[in-house]
Amino acid sequence: MMKKELVIIGAGPAGLAAALAAYEEGIEDILIIEREDRPGGILNQCIHDGFGLHKFKEVLTGPEYAHRYIDKVREKELEIMTNTIVTELTDEKEIKAFNESEGILHIKAEAVILAMGSRERTAGGISLPGDRPSGIYTAGLAQNLMNLQNIQVGKEIVILGSGDIGLIMARRLTLEGADVKAVLEIMPYSNGLRRNINQCLIDYNIPLKLSQTVIDVKGNGRLKSVTAAEVDEAFNPIAGTEYEIKCDTLILSVGLIPENELSKKAKVQLDDTTGGAVVKDNLETNVDGIFACGNVLHIHDLVDFVSDEAEKAGKAASEYIKKGHKLNKDNIFVEAGSGIGYVIPQVISKEKDQIFSMRVRKPDNDKTIKIAADGKILHEENFEKVNPSEMIKIKVSSEKFKPLEKSTIKVVAE
Amino acid sequence: MKKQNYDIAIIGGGVVGTAIARELSRYKADVLLIEKENDVGQGASNSNSGVVHSGFTAPVGSLKADVCMYGNSHFEEICSELDVPYEKTGKLVVAVEEKQIAELYNLQYIGRKNGAELYIVGEDFIEEKEPNISGKAAMYSPNSAITSPYELTIAFAENAHQNGVEISLNTKVVKISKKNSKFSVKTDRGEILADYVINSAGLYSDKIAAFSGEDRYKIYPCRGEYYVLDKNASALMSRLVYPVPPENAGGYGIHLTPTVEGNILIGPSNEYIDSVDNEATTKEVMDKLLKEARGFLPKISREMVIRSYSGIRSKIVPPEMGGFTDFVIEKSPKYDNFINLIGIESPGLTSAPGIAKYVVEMIDKMEKLIEDKDFEKTRKGITKFYELPEEKQKELAEDNPNYREIVCRCENITKQEIIDALNNPLGVQTLKGVKYRARATMGRCQGGYCMTRIIKIMQDEFDMDLEDIKLEGNNSNLFAGQAKGWE
Ligand SMILES: Cc1cc2nc3c(=O)[nH]c(=O)nc-3n(C[C@H](O)[C@H](O)[C@H](O)COP(=O)(O)OP(=O)(O)OC[C@H]3O[C@@H](n4cnc5c(N)ncnc54)[C@H](O)[C@@H]3O)c2cc1C
Ligand SMILES: Cc1cc2nc3c(=O)[nH]c(=O)nc-3n(C[C@H](O)[C@H](O)[C@H](O)COP(=O)(O)OP(=O)(O)OC[C@H]3O[C@@H](n4cnc5c(N)ncnc54)[C@H](O)[C@@H]3O)c2cc1C
């Protein structure tokens, strides 16, 4: 069995940044495993720009952003094993992987960083009703086909879901000569970034229909049409509002799901809300020496934040490798209270300054996010506008936690 | 179709038609199987529960009871000959209310008369065997089993093909008439002559029967919708779990079925519909499936759903009559050598081997069939790499790099398995063809990961053009062509 100090699963932005951070901390025996033929993760298919505004104060395309990290990883001669898929992971940090040239590999790691990214929610996952013809694609798959395989998926398009990938694809398909007839969104607001609505829909006169969904799909063979309808507050279609849209392609942009199949095999505890691991403030999971960052931990909208988070995981993993596992006695549990969807990390220690990542449940104006414990408010911050699609990060100094008696703090939006 | 003349023409490549084809291939006869779709098993045979029933619902002495019992006791052997998954899971018919318990005894009485092994068990038995299932009492059937209905249909067809049966896909029968002593079978791809015609056209069997002067039966299509749950849910239960059958519904009620792949099915519903082709699913029914399933298994959640589908039963009684009707397997009123199979609804999958034997005996009585000494009863399916012990995996991967590449991340399916699926003996080269043979695109990501890889294999290893890549039928193109950026 091959032995490694640190194995990172996934060479997307999370895996790459984690590797570099661990290297900075003096860990050199690192292996990054990637199932695709090149590093970069989902960024390789994101040929649009808008990456790196926070991290580099520059506007980069996805591949350009990825290359900032890939170049460094190459410069430091860190090992990336591509065309290699991890199929098993145990809580003893034993890995089974398949490599195209070497066959089956077994690797034992001292620490593992999970950086497997996410997969897309599918037609089946949202119980899309009607026929099951060809021409129904998830947005990321359509993006991959278009940008990496040069395949045109269709000509008359309806997009269901206004997540960022759907918005980006509305523009991409239009530029490719397709007729994007509408973007339908079941919520009364879009889940995409505001800048994407402006640059991808409004600029191209593509209608965004809020509080609408697809209630029927028709096509025997290739897709022929979808039936759309308005929905009420409980998301049930409102009778009499149905209308048919002729189209040969339906693109689904209905959410990403952290890809935690391996994590489950390693007995990593998952959070029902995020779909990712429950982590401590050093991004360690409940399994000693297994850390998580990036989309596998929770879905990010900005890659810059993925890189930040991954650096933290890389540092923590190197600390673990150098010093072994440190039991933390005064753990404090963090809970998402009213108005908040989730907060990461879920467990913190009193000793450190903390950055909480969170999402609100619904868009609103003038909201105060309060972090409270023992009936006292430890920290509060006001936001002119909040939106579930935009992750909020709040920094709190350790001074605030030190006097705490209770072991739970709550985050609310009021 | 390669020839002009055949001894026997079978119409319909569902599990019944292909089982008959395989049974006939034991004998010296020129057999042609005609199927309108571009693969076998595209009708009810790929969209059912995959349950091998133990025969406790059909009345004693009915043809249905006989062929079902035959199937139940021979299924394991047939599946092992044909390299098809089979698992004797056992079944619980659960009474959720006290007042249903009497009905359990009634079912047990009928079933035992048919020869099925059945027991009435109490709450503690349910609690011990299936701790997540709630019920007051149950009837336990240890011989109920599960199989892969599509793999079985494909295996019957491949084994028949390997023993000399010609299979003509993409060929629709449009008319049959008597031409001298033979039948002229006209299709959209030409005409052939045959001495015998076997009508196993499922939902279209009434239409085909009409060519033989049989007009007493009409098909009433009755749709059953399903949900498929993620493999992660499979730990919730390991046996078949059924409700007490609703009265006169002509179905078993919405049940929970573990599949041989490790998923759980919820369904089917029972909806009479207007068109035999309408395999759509509906929101109302899907909501109902989830609600009823939670009645037995409260831990089921919407997040576990990865797919929905539906299958259509070919009933020969209208909804108002409901209840039991027997399978119709008869010579036509006009011609002895035109055999009609009508109303082969559930348990048609279980019964297929028994039906095949029954039909072949009908022919044998009219014209002594001669055994073919070269008949090969075994057929080898695609090697399921990831199910093999590691030593074996290593050995295969050592010699063949295509075993080192995992193409489907959800089911861990290798490139070699995709290639094997595309090299199938029937010559089917669609995405669904790969799905039903190698399971790729069936998992939780529904092809999000593997589809681009399968397309690449189709292009690189099979020289297929983008325009020729289909989901299933001929008009189910997947792509509109090359993107502009490539020009
Ligand atoms: C379509 C799309 C558009 C986006 N647009 C923007 C934007 O405009 N601006 C912005 O800032 N952010 C954008 N984002 C967000 C950002 O790109 C993601 O948050 C980020 O890429 C997530 O990084 P990651 O490393 O966690 O995951 P990924 O990039 O998904 O990387 C995960 C890697 O792990 C590998 N992997 C997974 N499982 C295994 C295994 N078992 N064995 C081996 N390897 C494995 C995968 O192949 C992949 O390379 C976009 C995201 C998407 C999906
Ligand atoms: C919802 C549901 C659940 C079920 N569950 C079970 C179960 O758990 N266990 C069980 O034992 N049974 C079950 N059954 C029953 C079983 O699936 C069917 O009885 C069986 O599949 C019927 O097989 P078949 O070959 O007769 O029909 P089909 O599979 O429908 O095959 C008929 C074929 O004929 C072809 N055809 C029609 N017209 C023409 C033409 N003109 N020219 C050429 N070809 C033509 C069709 O394309 C089709 O492929 C279920 C059925 C349904 C619908």
Side-chain angles (χ1 to χ4, degrees), chain A residues 9-15 33-36 40-43 45-46 48-52 84-87 115-118 140 143 164-165 168 195-196 256 259 262 293-296 300-304 306:
Chain A
I9 309 176
I33 305 181
E34 171 55 52
R35 63 187 176 194
E36 300 291 338
I42 203 77
L43 292 180
Q45 66 183 60
C46 298
H48 57 280
D49 64 15
F51 298 83
T84 310
I85 185 165
V86 176
T87 61
M116 289 93 73
S118 58
Q143 188 181 44
D164 286 311
I165 319 172
I168 297 283
R195 71 157 196 249
N196 282 338
L256 300 174
E259 175 116 337
L262 288 174
C293 57
N295 275 359
V296 79
H300 294 68
D301 25 82
L302 289 178
V303 70
D304 310 59
V306 170

Side-chain angles (χ1 to χ4, degrees), chain A residues 83-96:
Chain A
N83 289 321
T84 310
I85 185 165
V86 176
T87 61
E88 307 289 338
L89 172 68
T90 70
D91 53 352
E92 297 293 320
K93 298 178 280 281
E94 283 169 6
I95 290 164
K96 177 176 177 179

Side-chain angles (χ1 to χ4, degrees), chain A residues 25-178:
Chain A
E25 298 295 313
I27 303 295
E28 291 182 10
D29 187 20
I30 301 175
L31 172 64
I32 313 173
I33 305 181
E34 171 55 52
R35 63 187 176 194
E36 300 291 338
D37 63 359
R38 72 196 82 169
I42 203 77
L43 292 180
N44 287 327
Q45 66 183 60
C46 298
I47 59 171
H48 57 280
D49 64 15
F51 298 83
L53 278 169
H54 295 258
K55 204 83 186 151
F56 300 107
K57 312 280 178 264
E58 270 182 77
V59 183
L60 305 172
T61 65
E64 282 170 341
Y65 185 97
H67 266 278
R68 295 277 162 115
Y69 290 85
I70 296 170
D71 292 347
K72 273 199 206 144
V73 165
R74 296 235 160 99
E75 195 185 295
K76 315 278 184 223
E77 293 176 359
L78 303 184
E79 186 181 358
I80 307 180
M81 196 185 255
T82 53
N83 289 321
T84 310
I85 185 165
V86 176
T87 61
E88 307 289 338
L89 172 68
T90 70
D91 53 352
E92 297 293 320
K93 298 178 280 281
E94 283 169 6
I95 290 164
K96 177 176 177 179
F98 283 74
N99 173 278
E100 265 177 66
S101 46
E102 291 174 49
I104 301 171
L105 301 173
H106 288 276
I107 306 157
K108 168 99 184 157
E110 272 177 55
V112 170
I113 298 179
L114 307 172
M116 289 93 73
S118 58
R119 67 169 187 274
E120 297 181 277
R121 188 165 285 124
T122 66
I126 58 161
S127 301
L128 188 70
D131 296 334
R132 293 170 297 287
S134 67
I136 303 178
Y137 292 98
T138 53
L141 175 56
Q143 188 181 44
N144 181 309
L145 287 164
M146 191 135 253
N147 294 348
L148 296 180
Q149 333 280 335
N150 284 290
I151 294 175
Q152 169 80 296
V153 291
K155 293 189 170 133
E156 295 184 285
I157 322 276
V158 170
I159 299 181
L160 177 61
S162 61
D164 286 311
I165 319 172
L167 300 177
I168 297 283
M169 283 312 287
R171 175 174 67 186
R172 181 74 182 90
L173 285 156
T174 305
L175 292 175
E176 202 54 53

Side-chain angles (χ1 to χ4, degrees), chain B residues 190-241:
Chain B
E191 177 195 3
I192 59 107
L193 299 174
D195 296 320
Y196 288 84
V197 168
I198 299 169
N199 165 17
S200 52
L203 289 159
Y204 291 87
S205 55
D206 56 345
K207 303 278 183 311
I208 300 289
F211 296 126
S212 67
E214 178 63 88
D215 55 9
R216 287 172 295 169
Y217 304 103
K218 175 177 159 35
I219 299 286
Y220 297 89
C222 177
R223 187 167 61 197
E225 298 183 33
Y226 287 92
Y227 260 150
V228 184
L229 302 186
D230 193 300
K231 282 188 173 178
N232 288 326
S234 70
L236 294 176
M237 54 166 246
S238 49
R239 288 166 190 77
L240 295 154
V241 178

